[in-house]
Amino acid sequence: MNILRLDSLGGASGDMLLGVFFGLGIQPEALEQALHSIIPDHFHLKLRDFSSHGITGVQAAVELHHDQQEDQHSHPHIHAHCHNHEHGHEHEHNHEHRSLTDILQLIQQSPLPPPVREASCRTFLLLAEAEGRVHGVAPENVRFHEVGAVDSLVDIIGCHLAYHLLGIDAVLLSPLPVGCGTVRCAHGIMPVPAPATAELLKQGLTVAPSEEPFELLTPTGAALLLTWPRCRLTTNAQIKGTVNSFGHRKLQHTPNLLRGMLLATETTDTAGATAPLAGEILELECDIDDASGEILGAAFDRLFAAGALDVRLLPEFMKKQRPAYRLSLTCRAADRDVVVQTLFRETTTFGVREYPVRRHCLERAFQTVSTPYGPIRIKIGVWQGCEVSRTPEFEDCRAAAERCSIPVRRVLEAAVAAAVSAAPFFGKQEKKESFPVA
C-alpha cells in the first residue's frame, strides 16, 4: 500500500501540493499536457528549486497567459468567496465565474480516468457545500469565482491526476497550521481561517497553533485533503521518496513548507474517509420503479461525486409485475450520510437498505509505456509483492484512437504488447506465479 505522508510547517495550498507531487516524480510537462486537453484556458506549470531557512526543496506555480500579457504581481487574489491562493502569479484579475454544474460537466465529459473524475468532482462539491453554508444557498446555486478559474481547476484536477498516477492509496496527515489574525476579501475583513476553510475544517481535519498572521490553509488545500482517504500508520514502512514543497508567501517565524514522503507499507490503521485495500465498506441499495433512464443516469454522476465507489443498476420485476431497477452502490462509512442524502434527492426511492461488506483489492501502481500512437498508462495489479495483471488505461487508449483516427482496439493491442515487453515496474523480474497480462 502506498501512503503519502504530509507534514506541514506553513499550511497547505493547491500549488504546495502540486510541488509535492512534482518532487515525488510527476513531470510538470506531462501533467500540463494532460490538463491542456481538459481545461479550455491558457496556463503553464512551473517548477523551480527553492530554499528557505537553510532547507532546500521545490516551489511550484501555475502561470496564466492572459490575452493582454498583464504584469504579474505578488499579492493575493481578491474574490467574492475569499479564496486566497498562493500562486506566484497572484494578482487581482477578473476570472470567469462558473457554476458547480459547469465545473462538474467539464470534469465528467473529460477523458480523465474515472477515479480522477470522481475525486475532482467530490472536491468541487465539498467547496460548493462549504460556500453554500457560509452564504446560505444550495450548493448547486454557488457560483465559483477563483475556485472556478483556471488556476484552481489546474490545482484540483492536477493534484488528483498526480495522486492517481503515483498509485497513492491514502494520506497520513499532520495537524495543519491555519494561521491567525484576519484576511481581507470582497466581503470585508474576515478572521483566519476564512469562512469556507473553517466549514471544511469541521469535517475532520486537525489544526495546529500558529503565530503567523496570514491565511496558511486555503479552501482548495483543505478540500483536496478531505477528498483523499486518510490513514494512521501502524507498521514499519519503507520510504520511497521525499520532497520539501514551499509556498510563495514569506512567513515570519517558520519556512512556508509542506513536506511530502511516499511510503510503502503492507498494513494501515484507517481513519476518517479511508477505504483500505482490504477492509469494511458499505453496500447501499434501493428499488425504483417510477424514474426515467435520464434521471437515473444523472443520479449516477451525483452519487459518484458524493463519494460512491461503484454504482450499479439491475433490471427486476416488483409487485404486480411492474418493471423496475435495483440501484446498488458501495461507499465508505464516512460518506454514507452524503450518499444517502444524494439517493433521496436525486431518485424517487422512499427507502435505502444498508449492509456492511468486506472487500479485498490488488495494490495498484502505474507505468507509462510508449506505443506508435503515443504514451499509454498501464495499471499494474500487485498481490503480496507480485505483479498479477497489467491493463492499459482505456481512456488513454480512446484518446489516442481519436487523435490518430483509428479503432480503439488497435491502440489497446499495441498497449498490451508494450506492457508485455516493458521492464517490471518494481525493478525486478516478475515472480513465476504472476499471471499473464490481461
Side-chain angles (χ1 to χ4, degrees):
M1 185 171 188
N2 290 328
I3 297 173
L4 175 62
R5 174 170 177 165
L6 294 172
D7 297 291
S8 175
L9 288 179
S13 62
D15 56 348
M16 294 174 77
L17 288 166
L18 279 177
V20 167
F21 291 120
F22 293 154
L24 292 177
I26 296 297
Q27 296 299 315
E29 299 80 7
L31 190 65
E32 178 180 321
Q33 182 179 6
L35 294 176
H36 272 307
S37 65
I38 302 164
I39 302 173
D41 300 272
H42 299 290
F43 65 89
H44 176 57
L45 293 177
K46 297 183 66 176
L47 182 69
R48 64 167 180 158
D49 295 332
F50 192 84
S51 64
S52 176
H53 292 70
I55 302 174
T56 61
V58 298
Q59 188 180 68
V62 180
E63 183 181 82
L64 303 183
H65 302 293
H66 300 288
D67 294 337
Q68 297 180 352
Q69 296 297 316
E70 302 172 4
D71 292 334
Q72 294 183 357
H73 304 283
S74 182
H75 51 82
H77 291 134
I78 297 178
H79 295 284
H81 288 168
C82 224
H83 291 157
N84 185 12
H85 276 234
E86 299 178 358
H87 295 306
H89 64 272
E90 293 171 337
H91 58 284
E92 297 176 33
H93 47 83
N94 295 321
H95 285 174
E96 178 185 355
H97 294 187
R98 292 183 169 117
S99 69
L100 176 64
T101 301
D102 295 333
I103 293 171
L104 296 183
Q105 186 175 38
L106 173 70
I107 296 170
Q108 291 161 354
Q109 293 179 350
S110 73
L112 290 166
V116 179
R117 291 201 303 266
E118 295 157 17
S120 299
C121 287
R122 188 165 181 236
T123 299
F124 275 106
L125 187 61
L126 284 169
L127 286 166
E129 290 172 344
E131 290 288 1
R133 286 191 292 270
V134 169
H135 300 290
V137 299
E140 56 268 26
N141 294 331
V142 169
R143 294 194 64 81
F144 291 93
H145 292 212
E146 182 187 2
V147 172
V150 55
D151 50 356
S152 291
L153 282 166
V154 173
D155 280 345
I156 291 171
I157 301 175
C159 282
H160 285 307
L161 182 55
Y163 180 99
H164 178 74
L165 293 175
L166 286 172
I168 298 171
D169 299 294
V171 172
L172 176 62
L173 190 60
S174 74
L176 297 167
V178 296
C180 63
T182 59
V183 61
R184 180 184 296 274
C185 59
H187 299 291
I189 302 296
M190 295 289 179
V192 172
T197 306
E199 286 293 329
L200 292 165
L201 286 170
K202 288 162 52 179
Q203 301 187 44
L205 296 178
T206 304
V207 301
S210 173
E211 297 180 358
E212 298 291 345
F214 307 108
E215 181 187 29
L216 301 181
L217 178 63
T218 66
T220 297
L224 282 165
L225 296 174
L226 276 174
T227 303
W228 292 322
R230 298 188 300 282
C231 65
R232 293 187 298 268
L233 194 64
T234 58
T235 60
N236 295 332
Q238 178 184 1
I239 298 177
K240 300 173 67 175
T242 64
V243 59
N244 296 318
S245 177
F246 291 91
H248 292 269
R249 175 177 283 121
K250 184 177 181 180
L251 304 184
Q252 296 181 0
H253 308 289
T254 62
N256 192 1
L257 167 66
L258 179 66
R259 185 183 70 178
M261 301 176 67
L262 188 59
L263 309 174
T265 183
E266 294 183 1
T267 307
T268 57
D269 181 16
T270 57
T274 301
L277 291 180
E280 298 291 340
I281 58 173
L282 298 178
E283 177 91 12
L284 304 179
E285 68 177 24
C286 57
D287 299 306
I288 301 172
D289 64 357
D290 56 351
S292 68
E294 292 86 352
I295 290 177
L296 294 175
F300 267 48
D301 296 334
R302 293 294 181 90
L303 289 167
F304 279 123
L309 302 172
D310 192 18
V311 184
R312 301 168 296 279
L313 204 60
L314 299 174
E316 63 179 1
F317 288 95
M318 297 179 63
K319 62 183 179 180
K320 300 181 180 179
Q321 297 303 301
R322 290 197 306 268
Y325 291 99
R326 174 162 296 182
L327 192 159
S328 62
L329 61 88
T330 52
C331 69
R332 307 175 183 96
D335 296 325
R336 173 182 53 195
D337 292 345
V338 176
V339 171
V340 170
Q341 180 185 34
T342 303
L343 277 170
F344 285 130
R345 290 183 60 181
E346 299 296 331
T347 74
T348 56
T349 187
F350 270 68
V352 176
R353 298 179 293 274
E354 174 185 318
Y355 314 97
V357 297
R358 184 170 180 83
R359 67 171 180 170
H360 301 270
C361 302
L362 294 178
E363 183 180 354
R364 291 160 295 174
F366 288 85
Q367 185 177 21
T368 300
V369 299
S370 298
T371 75
Y373 314 108
I376 301 294
R377 284 168 302 151
I378 305 298
K379 184 181 347 183
I380 301 171
V382 180
W383 181 253
Q384 297 179 348
C386 174
E387 293 184 11
V388 297
S389 67
R390 289 185 166 213
T391 307
E393 284 289 286
F394 181 80
E395 295 299 336
D396 287 9
C397 295
R398 179 163 62 181
E402 293 176 354
R403 186 172 59 250
C404 299
S405 299
I406 60 173
V408 69
R409 63 178 178 83
R410 190 179 302 175
V411 182
L412 280 166
E413 291 169 355
V416 168
V420 171
S421 59
F425 180 78
F426 292 99
K428 60 184 179 180
Q429 293 296 321
E430 293 179 289
K431 297 180 180 180
K432 293 182 179 180
E433 62 265 32
S434 296
F435 298 109
V437 175

